[in-house]
Amino acid sequence: MSRYDNIKKIQNKKFTSIGTARFPKHEDKNSDILLIATQGDRCDLIAQQYYGTSELWWYIASVNNLSSNNIEAGTQLRVPVSTEQAVLK
């Protein structure tokens, strides 16, 4: 059980809020990469692989409605090719 499992989530048209953090909404695109998570996959490792930095782990978690960095094996993931939507406007 993650320490984030019981944190309140709020969603509206522009962002999702998990606890005190606000994450931008992501519009699915045909260019997004689809993955099936395997044992040991984490958002920070995937962010490092696709974006060259682990600092954007939260963006992958947000896009996939995950409440933590850890990913259960077999989970289908969407990895946006662009991080343009990672910035709240």
Side-chain angles (χ1 to χ4, degrees):
M1 177 179 200
S2 170
R3 64 182 176 170
Y4 301 106
D5 287 345
N6 296 320
I7 291 178
K8 183 177 177 181
K9 287 186 179 182
I10 300 171
Q11 295 185 343
N12 72 26
K13 293 179 184 178
K14 290 187 177 182
F15 67 90
T16 298
S17 177
I18 300 175
T20 59
R22 289 175 45 164
F23 302 102
K25 285 283 189 183
H26 172 74
E27 295 177 22
D28 294 349
K29 296 184 178 179
N30 289 335
S31 60
D32 291 348
I33 298 165
L34 299 178
L35 304 172
I36 302 296
T38 58
Q39 185 70 30
D41 277 347
R42 298 189 328 243
C43 294
D44 61 335
L45 299 175
I46 294 170
Q48 181 67 46
Q49 180 179 351
Y50 287 95
Y51 303 140
T53 179
S54 61
E55 292 180 1
L56 289 173
W57 72 268
W58 61 268
Y59 185 50
I60 293 172
S62 174
V63 166
N64 291 284
N65 296 314
L66 302 172
S67 59
S68 74
N69 187 29
N70 298 318
I71 305 167
E72 186 175 327
T75 302
Q76 181 176 336
L77 300 171
R78 179 174 293 276
V79 179
V81 172
S82 170
T83 59
E84 180 179 296
Q85 292 180 335
V87 179
L88 282 173
K89 296 178 182 175

